[in-house]
Amino acid sequence: MLTRFEELLGTDFAGWPTGDVDDVIYGGYDHAEHRERVPGLVSLLGDASAADRERYLACLALVARGEPVGYETVRQLSLDPRNAPWYDRFIDPKFSVDSSYGHLSAAAADSREPAEEKGSSALRVEAFRSLIRMADREYLRGEAGGSPGRGRGAGVSSRHP
């Protein structure tokens, strides 16, 4: 039996298990079926009992796919970035600092098309503005170190599995 996380982000859109969460997060652009997973991702993001890594990857997927709730989550968390449940879980290997907001920034940058398609472009801009306001306090270059969804050796370490 698959866990909720495995169903949402550990299974590709053909129904096959995958060890590369990034394929599911970013591969969603090419599959309309990704919309069927949105309610589950929103639920996972809001589940305080879920693992921090899983909640973060749900948020990352929602942002990458242009979903309003993903952008709004980034806006809210940017008010107090170190209070995010996943803060300090994804560490840039070169600078040894949290890289979660850098990955969220990269996902937002790549989500122009789905945001336009879903009518969430204004929220995307607001999420960017929120990230820019905290750029002097938080590391936003996380995408340079690899992706948080990949397993060992991907360039970004997770302090807490």
Side-chain angles (χ1 to χ4, degrees), residues 24-60:
V24 179
I25 291 174
Y26 296 104
Y29 292 146
D30 302 326
H31 301 276
E33 296 89 355
H34 80 268
R35 292 177 188 230
E36 297 169 10
R37 298 186 187 189
V38 169
L41 291 167
V42 171
S43 176
L44 180 59
L45 174 60
D47 183 355
S49 68
D52 296 337
R53 174 184 180 274
E54 294 177 1
R55 294 178 71 194
Y56 174 74
L57 292 173
C59 184
L60 188 66

Side-chain angles (χ1 to χ4, degrees), residues 42 45-46 55-56 58-60 62-63 67-79 84-86 101 104 123 127 130:
V42 171
L45 174 60
R55 294 178 71 194
Y56 174 74
C59 184
L60 188 66
L62 291 165
V63 170
E67 293 295 335
V69 70
Y71 296 137
E72 185 57 35
T73 299
V74 169
R75 280 179 12 99
Q76 290 299 315
L77 290 174
S78 73
L79 299 173
W86 51 74
Y101 290 103
L104 288 167
L123 288 173
S130 298

Side-chain angles (χ1 to χ4, degrees), residues 138-159:
E138 296 299 327
Y139 181 68
L140 295 183
R141 183 102 169 124
E143 73 279 3
S147 173
R150 296 185 192 261
R152 294 182 186 183
V156 175
S157 63
S158 176
R159 285 193 183 166

Side-chain angles (χ1 to χ4, degrees), residues 104-129:
L104 288 167
S105 177
D110 291 340
S111 68
R112 183 182 52 80
E113 283 185 42
E116 288 174 356
E117 180 183 311
K118 295 174 182 178
S120 58
S121 293
L123 288 173
R124 179 178 171 261
V125 169
E126 287 305 313
F128 270 126
R129 287 182 177 153

